[in-house]
Amino acid sequence: MAFFALLADRAGQTLNLEKLDPDAMLHAMIASFDGDESELTMAIRRKRHRVRK
């Protein structure tokens, strides 16, 4: 999760890590290893917001 937070920060986004569902993220990450990144993409998109600078 630290990687996602850092990546989001560099893109001007923040991730709301406190609201992540650990089981859903684990499932999405495992699916992404098999080539299906759709669940992981949706999980990340739901937990981000633009940082205004």
Side-chain angles (χ1 to χ4, degrees):
M1 297 284 79
F3 173 73
F4 287 130
L6 180 60
L7 186 62
D9 184 61
R10 299 282 289 168
Q13 307 281 328
T14 58
L15 290 177
N16 191 345
L17 298 177
E18 296 82 26
K19 293 190 177 184
L20 285 178
D21 177 353
D23 292 332
M25 283 301 296
L26 178 61
H27 180 75
M29 291 175 77
I30 291 170
S32 75
F33 296 147
D34 288 333
D36 179 6
E37 297 174 346
S38 61
E39 290 181 51
L40 188 57
T41 300
M42 292 307 299
I44 293 168
R45 284 184 176 163
R46 285 190 300 265
K47 303 305 176 193
R48 67 173 173 81
H49 68 276
R50 173 127 347 245
V51 175
R52 297 183 192 262
K53 294 184 180 183

